[in-house]
Amino acid sequence: MSGLATEDLKRLVESARVYRDVYASPEVFELEMARIWGHAWLYVGHQSQVPEPGDFITTTLGLKPVIMVRHTDGETIHVLHNRCGHRGAIVCYQRHGHAKSGLFRCPYHGWIFRSDGSLRTLPSPGGYKDVGFDADDPAFGMPPAARVAMYRGFVFASLSAEGPDLPNFLGEAADTIDNMVDRSPVGEIEVTGKVGHRFLHRNNWKFFIENLHDAMHPMVAHAATGDAVKQVLDAYPDSDVGRPEAEVIAPFGGSYDFFDEMGFVGLPRGHGYMGGSKSIFSHYQMYPDYLAAMEEAYGTARTQEILSYNKHNTLVYPSCTVRDGIQSIRVVKPVSVNETVIESWTFRLKGAPQSMLDRTLRYSRLINSPASCVGPDDMSCYDRIQEAAAAGTIDWIDLHRHLGREVRDGERLTAIGTSDLALRNQYLAWLDYMTDGAAGHAA
Ligand SMILES: [Fe+2]
């Protein structure tokens, strides 16, 4: 158990700086797993990944392995701890698959579990008769996560039985999920492919979510990529060469003013987003056949309303970030204090032309994949801070930019896009989770 008391934790986070231990201390990481990742609603997967009874994926909630499985009733989606109730062995290492008849069998001693996690059979059961063993005790099964809920096809789970329900937890962040789904002319989306991009970062999980809304870095960290795009366009002025790629990459070379105008909105519980009416997707070309399909489904006014809603990234703290405009989601998977896997998933808008999916995949390839033009720029910057925080070459990481200039609007805090409010807002939630509300920010 950690020896860190509430007062110790409060000392790590000030209004405009955080102490290096928040990125580098294994003890802090262990507490984060228990108090943040052990309480918040965490993204698990999308219902389209398990369309048939017995279909499953394996993933993690914090550090805990889980299975998301479509129950044999065809309706319910369960999220089960991926461990045998006998000796605790991980039951399933496959990333995705189909459990025949909805049954999982532990590879060690052959205990068999139903798709709701209950223990169905064990070999030579006479050995357990009259010895005080209760086969109906859920502890001998694969226990479900404490809470599981779905929002418009997105499955979330919490390791804690306490706390707000999922709609209340998401709050305004749910609008971004709504918008992603509404961008389908039939109001349905599905995951593309069986596995997303998996990108191992050798640094702390918070760097990635902090960078989502760090609008002071693109024009510096991604300058080489932006320049390369410009050179290609200049070299082939009368050709389509590079145009589809330029549409995706060029906004990452946007000016400070461009990102300031986009703005940032900080929400309770660490959630937040950039954009609203303007984002890096604002100037994407409109495909006429997509527009026609949307207008036929929703009418002109509602279509305009759906398509003019433009957010850059919406963070659902701490586990995922949603991009409605390009139909992708990135999922944060902490591994240790200095290792994090970032998964990137893409979605197909059902009823939309192939050109929309092509752009989504192009974006994922060019921006999010481990071999992309943008993600590795970011990662190398996180690495540099991780090294410094671990080595103690810096003690305090600064968050002063535009301090105190945010405007409170009910539960929301708003600021221009290059304000460090985006990071400060996450640390309000961090402190509240870590101190069980003692920091007083109503996370
Ligand atoms: Fe970046």
Side-chain angles (χ1 to χ4, degrees), residues 211 217-218 222 374 378:
N211 182 68
H217 85 278
H222 306 309
V374 171
D378 296 320

Side-chain angles (χ1 to χ4, degrees), residues 382-394:
Y382 317 155
D383 286 349
R384 289 161 190 255
I385 310 174
Q386 183 75 47
E387 276 187 44
T393 48
I394 190 166

Side-chain angles (χ1 to χ4, degrees), residues 211-212 214 217-219 221-222 252 367 374-375 377-379 382:
N211 182 68
L212 293 174
D214 180 322
H217 85 278
M219 58 294 286
H222 306 309
F252 284 84
I367 308 298
V374 171
D377 293 340
D378 296 320
M379 190 181 68
Y382 317 155

Side-chain angles (χ1 to χ4, degrees), residues 37-44 59-62 64-69 76-83 115-118 138 141-149 155-162:
W37 295 78
H39 283 91
W41 284 98
L42 307 173
Y43 179 67
V44 185
T59 181
T60 49
L61 292 177
K64 301 201 186 298
V66 293
I67 294 180
M68 179 176 96
V69 55
T76 320
I77 293 177
H78 289 293
V79 177
L80 310 173
H81 285 278
N82 185 3
R83 67 106 175 101
S115 53
D116 61 2
S118 58
M142 297 170 67
R147 291 183 294 164
V148 179
V155 179
F156 288 79
S158 171
L159 293 168
S160 169
E162 308 288 324

Side-chain angles (χ1 to χ4, degrees), residues 190-193 195 197 248 326-328 344-348 354-369 372:
E190 63 182 1
V191 165
T192 60
V195 289
H197 286 302
V248 166
I326 197 69
Q327 297 89 55
S328 76
S344 178
W345 297 86
T346 49
F347 293 83
R348 184 174 80 87
Q354 179 68 26
S355 51
M356 292 297 288
L357 178 58
D358 289 345
R359 181 159 61 191
T360 296
L361 297 175
R362 190 181 309 129
Y363 186 100
S364 180
R365 204 164 56 239
L366 292 172
I367 308 298
N368 293 344
S369 91
S372 75

Side-chain angles (χ1 to χ4, degrees), residues 8-9 85 93 116 119 161 164 188 195 242 256 261 269 334 347 410 420:
D8 300 325
L9 292 162
Y93 274 127
D116 61 2
L119 175 61
E188 285 181 42
V195 289
Y256 296 108
E261 286 167 22
R269 302 187 179 88
F347 293 83
D420 283 343

